[in-house]
Amino acid sequence: MGGTGMIRVLIADDQALVRAALKAMLVRRADLDVVGEAADGRQAVAMAAGLCPDVIVMDVRMPGLTGVEATASILSGWPHRDRPRPRVLVLTTFDLDEYVHAALRAGAGGFMLKNSSPEQLAEAIRVVAAGDSMLAPSVTRRLIGAFAAVPAALLDPPERPRAPGPLTRRELDVLILVAKGLSNAQIAAELDLSEAGVKSRVNRILTRLGLENRVQAAIFAYDSGLLRLPGG
């Protein structure tokens, strides 16, 4: 975030009315600054590189370059070594939109439904800007459960799951519980650890496996065979 403490937000949506509505919601918040509006995925990529926002509110379905493709392009090809990559908050009409799963794999920090309240959207932006994943445990379970049904073509490029060898036994225990959708407090109670201890282990897991957030960690756990999806 900038020196003023403001969270700089870029809105990307192909519908002008939606962009206007989102901007109207956000500019009323004293800590949120809408620095740009992109009408499609290609504009989002270009404006992200030029404006260096803290958070991009990204529509998942856009013509040309989709929100998924734009997210992957922005996060994998970030051109600024001295500026952190923006966090991406995906917007979707449906809470189990198949494209959301691909966006999360691409590194998005979370997702919101388009019918969320202004307060929920603003809070989600704050959470994502702080580096956390904007997904409640119950939502994580639903996403991971539905992940098995995602058409393979939407997960391009498919990556071979990496073996979780670098992790300690305790970190593997934490990873499995993250994949089950447990919160840090629940994991702490389950493993007789402090919440701070769980948080530090989650951070180490993400760093060692090269992952962006706990949703990607959950997907990794299923991909690598640590857990099986129901019916799998």
Side-chain angles (χ1 to χ4, degrees), residues 69-122:
E69 294 165 333
T71 296
S73 178
I74 290 167
L75 298 182
S76 65
W78 188 241
H80 306 292
R81 293 186 177 181
D82 59 336
R83 300 291 298 272
R85 293 182 300 173
R87 302 279 293 174
V88 178
L89 179 64
V90 172
L91 284 183
T92 178
T93 304
F94 306 104
D95 60 347
L96 290 181
D97 189 320
E98 67 272 15
Y99 287 89
V100 171
H101 303 78
L104 290 170
R105 289 199 100 164
F111 84 96
M112 287 289 290
L113 301 183
K114 284 191 174 181
N115 63 358
S116 300
S117 70
E119 291 76 18
Q120 289 172 328
L121 177 60

Side-chain angles (χ1 to χ4, degrees), residues 201-214 216-217:
R201 284 177 171 84
V202 171
N203 289 336
R204 285 202 299 271
I205 289 168
L206 298 180
T207 298
R208 290 179 179 178
L209 297 181
L211 304 173
E212 293 286 338
N213 52 55
R214 60 198 296 138
Q216 285 193 348

